[in-house]
Every structure is written in C-alpha cells, then in structure tokens.
Amino acid sequence: MMGIEALVAGEAPSVEGLAALLACDDPRVADELMAAAYEVKVREVGAVAWLRGLVEISNVCRCDCRYCGIRRSNDAVERYTVPVDEVLAAGQVAFESGFGSVVLQGGERGDAAFVDDVEEMVRGLRDLSAGRLAITLSLGEQSPATYRRWREAGAERYLLRIETTNRRLFDAIHTGEQDFDARLNCLDELRAQDWQVGTGVMIGLPGQTAGDLARDILFMRDRDVDMVGMGPFIPHAGTPLAGSLGPEEDYRPRQLDLSLRMIACARLVLRDVNIASTTALQALHPQGRERGLRAGANVLMPNLTHVRHRRGYQLYDGKPGLDEGSEESLRALERSVAAVGEAIGYGHPGTSPHYRRRVARGDDA
Ligand code: 5AD
C-alpha cells in the first residue's frame, strides 16, 4: 500500500493518504503499519513505557456531553469528590513506585472550592516529591486565571481533548454548551502559559470518517502538541449515544483495530510526542494497552483512584481495572511491557522529546 515508507521517511502526509491507511482493514497492511510506527517510536522516543498514575478526583461535572457516562444529567451516577489528603496519598504511592507523573483527571467544575482544592493538591504533590513528580491536569475548560493558578502551584502538563476536529461532529456529540472555538482558545491559552500541552480525540464516533481522523492527526501536528491521549469511543448505556454503534460484538474488534491504526498513523506523523495507550483500549481487549504500545504509544496510565470511587467514574461501559494500581497489578503491567520487549521508565518524568526540543529551540512556549 502507498505511503507507509514515505511516512517513515518523514514525508508530509496528505489527508487522502492518511485516510486510506486509517480505513484499510487488510490485516497485512495493518501489520506493516504497526511495524513502521514501532520503528519510528523506538527511534524517536525509545523502547520505554512511561507510567502516569491516574487519579480520578471527582465525577461531578457541569457538562452534559452526549457520549459521556458522567454527564450532568445521568442521575444513575453517585457523585463523589476525593478529599485532598487522599489524592496526596495516591500521589505518594505514585512517587514511591517511581512513576514519572501523576494525572489528576475529573469532571469539569469551575467552583471556587474545587479550584482551591486542585491548587492545594498540586502544591502537596510538588512538595511530597520535592518537585520530581511531574503533575498533569485533565480538568477541562477553565479560565486563563485558573490555568495560571494551577500552573504557578506547580502543575506543568495539561490534557484537553478536542474530541474531534470536525466541527459539525463536535456539535453533534455535545449539547450546544460546548463550543469548538472555546476549546481551541483553551489550548492556545495553555500553550501561552508554558504548559506541556496534550490533546486528542475519540476514535470511531458515529458519523466520523477516516478523513476526519486524518485531519485530527494533522490538527495535532499543526498545533505542535507535546502529548496525545486518544482512544476508542465506547457507547455508555446511560447516555444518548447508547446503541449508536450497533451490537457490541461487532463494534469491539472494529473500534480496537481502528484505534490501533490511528495510534500508528499519529506516531508516524507526530514522531517525538508522548502518546498514551489508554484504558479504553483495554476495555475492548484484555491486551489492548500492550497492543497500543506495539502500535506506537509509549505511555501507560495505571489507575490509582481508590477502588471505592471507581464505579463512579464509568465514562463508558465495561471500563476495566477494578484492582489496578495495586502492587500486584503493577507487576502484571511490568510483565506485559516486558512481553512487548520494553522496559518501564521508572524514576524519571519522561517528558516528551518534542517538548524538550521546542523549549531548546526557544519556541514561543
Ligand atoms: N467512550 C470513550 N471515551 C470517552 N470519553 C468520555 N466518554 C467516552 C466514551 N463513551 C473520553 C473523552 C474525555 C475523556 C476524559 O474521556 O474523550 O475527554
């Protein structure tokens, strides 16, 4: 198939070329694509999997996104907020386990108490690790002042998915409260405030085309992002998009394969960024995350959220890992990373070479 060698060689891709690769379900082409992406990954970011401990700090959310299990109007969800000291205890575990970073993720909230609490969490994490644990936030759209406070408290990485760069699709999966341009402005603001910026999309949304996904990759390239977090869309029964992909046994393998091709194409185009192999991949296949590493991802995000909250953070159906983050599951993770022929990168923040290069170049940052 056209294009794979050219991509490995670093040639600029066309939307059509990328879309053809993303749409191609010939397993031989997929194997070739994964092998090429893996080669580029090892060359650009090494055969190392970085760990980020994920703490889902609250499932309270002001948004009502039509795909999301913790959307405001889902009354079936029991809402929780993790107290600051519990987040710090999880951070301590991450630090002592040698994780490069902790990610605080949660529903989107703008209330003063929440903003204060997050600031306290960030300071606490910075202090307990003497600044050696990179702090990543994934808390949605916030005001420039809030981003600034959290940045000054010591957080340095922010993940804010654009979800899809097709504006019509963006509007269709949200409720009118979410605005595409507002999301872009947030990404601009984060960049201007010197965050390491990550974005990403959901893969396999109803009505999304291979061309859309190709443009998503080019969007991330053009925005010069440092990190990518993207994963398969998985319908949640308690949302308006329930049933939107047809029967589960049909969509699971389809979403998995498409997501792996998307990761591989993103690696071939974006080269030196960090790309997460997300939990949603594992929800589709027991070895989903390892397959993500083989397709070019280099970051794993073990869940450190206290087990008593985990049921409350079901963004999609079948979310795995009720015991994840335990000592035992970490050993299991090590074994599966070793099975891919890689090592876990302990005791180091694992900053993406992309970010280090753009800072060294003195780009606007
Ligand atoms: N399937 C897959 N991913 C989802 N997210 C939310 N709902 C779903 C779903 N049903 C993702 C969104 C959001 C991230 C925190 O979780 O991309 O940005």
Side-chain angles (χ1 to χ4, degrees):
M1 151 145 315
M2 60 137 302
I4 296 179
E5 299 86 11
L7 284 174
V8 172
E11 267 177 47
S14 64
V15 171
E16 296 69 31
L18 273 182
L21 283 172
L22 289 163
C24 177
D25 55 11
D26 179 337
R28 278 168 312 180
V29 176
D31 286 349
E32 200 190 320
L33 180 64
M34 302 301 146
Y38 196 78
E39 181 190 325
V40 169
K41 161 181 147 173
V42 172
R43 195 193 310 151
E44 299 280 345
V45 297
V48 179
W50 299 106
L51 299 185
R52 283 76 176 91
L54 178 65
V55 188
E56 296 151 338
I57 62 173
S58 175
N59 65 355
V60 176
C61 192
R62 62 184 171 196
C63 305
D64 213 24
C65 308
R66 298 179 72 236
Y67 46 84
C68 185
I70 63 166
R71 66 200 304 263
R72 181 180 75 223
S73 61
N74 186 358
D75 297 328
V77 176
E78 217 179 289
R79 304 288 165 169
Y80 72 84
T81 298
V82 181
V84 175
D85 57 349
E86 210 183 288
V87 171
L88 298 187
Q92 186 77 40
V93 169
F95 182 57
E96 283 167 8
S97 310
F99 289 25
S101 179
V102 152
V103 183
L104 306 186
Q105 188 181 84
E108 188 175 291
R109 294 171 59 178
D111 52 288
F114 181 72
V115 173
D116 289 349
D117 280 355
V118 171
E119 186 176 25
E120 203 181 321
M121 290 169 195
V122 171
R123 281 191 207 290
L125 291 169
R126 188 189 55 186
D127 293 349
L128 72 83
S129 66
R132 283 190 288 150
L133 188 60
I135 302 163
T136 308
L137 301 181
S138 176
L139 300 168
E141 294 182 20
Q142 301 289 343
S143 68
T146 296
Y147 286 145
R148 168 76 55 205
R149 273 181 62 191
W150 292 343
R151 181 78 185 87
E152 283 170 0
E156 55 186 308
R157 304 178 183 174
Y158 205 100
L159 302 168
L160 179 64
R161 287 187 178 179
I162 191 71
E163 312 296 0
T164 172
T165 60
N166 176 330
R167 286 172 185 260
R168 249 183 313 128
L169 185 57
F170 184 97
D171 289 342
I173 60 172
H174 294 109
T175 52
E177 294 170 341
Q178 257 58 46
D179 181 66
F180 188 81
D181 290 303
R183 186 73 53 104
L184 292 183
N185 288 340
C186 286
L187 288 170
D188 285 340
E189 180 63 29
L190 289 162
R191 171 84 183 213
Q193 289 186 15
D194 191 26
W195 292 80
Q196 295 172 44
V197 179
T199 192
V201 297
M202 280 182 289
I203 302 161
L205 288 161
Q208 188 180 43
T209 65
D212 289 332
L213 291 170
R215 281 181 288 269
D216 292 341
I217 292 175
L218 299 182
F219 167 88
M220 295 190 271
R221 179 197 64 188
D222 295 341
R223 289 232 143 213
D224 200 23
V225 298
D226 306 299
M227 308 177 291
V228 173
M230 55 187 184
F233 163 65
I234 303 172
H236 184 292
T239 66
L241 294 188
S244 60
L245 296 182
E248 195 178 322
E249 59 278 17
D250 295 348
Y251 75 67
R252 279 175 159 268
R254 210 173 58 222
Q255 295 294 81
L256 176 69
D257 290 344
L258 180 60
S259 299
L260 295 171
R261 293 198 296 275
M262 184 70 177
I263 288 174
C265 286
R267 174 59 69 198
L268 287 171
V269 176
L270 302 171
R271 322 295 283 191
D272 56 358
V273 300
N274 280 345
I275 300 179
S277 189
T278 53
T279 314
L281 273 179
Q282 201 191 348
L284 291 178
H285 189 281
Q287 270 90 50
R289 290 197 302 186
E290 292 84 334
R291 302 220 9 217
L293 295 179
R294 285 211 181 87
N298 66 326
V299 166
L300 296 170
M301 299 168 71
N303 195 342
L304 300 183
T305 310
H306 197 289
V307 285
R308 76 174 184 284
H309 300 309
R310 291 199 191 180
R311 291 208 183 286
Y313 209 81
Q314 293 281 126
L315 305 181
Y316 44 83
D317 285 340
K319 192 169 165 221
L322 264 181
D323 67 338
E324 214 195 27
S326 67
E327 188 65 25
E328 194 188 329
S329 76
L330 265 183
R331 299 288 89 87
L333 197 60
E334 275 174 353
R335 283 194 296 276
S336 39
V337 170
V340 181
E342 302 192 349
I344 289 180
Y346 285 114
H348 193 280
T351 304
S352 79
H354 188 86
Y355 178 76
R356 287 194 270 112
R357 286 195 186 114
R358 80 176 168 85
V359 169
R361 274 199 315 266
D363 285 14
D364 58 82

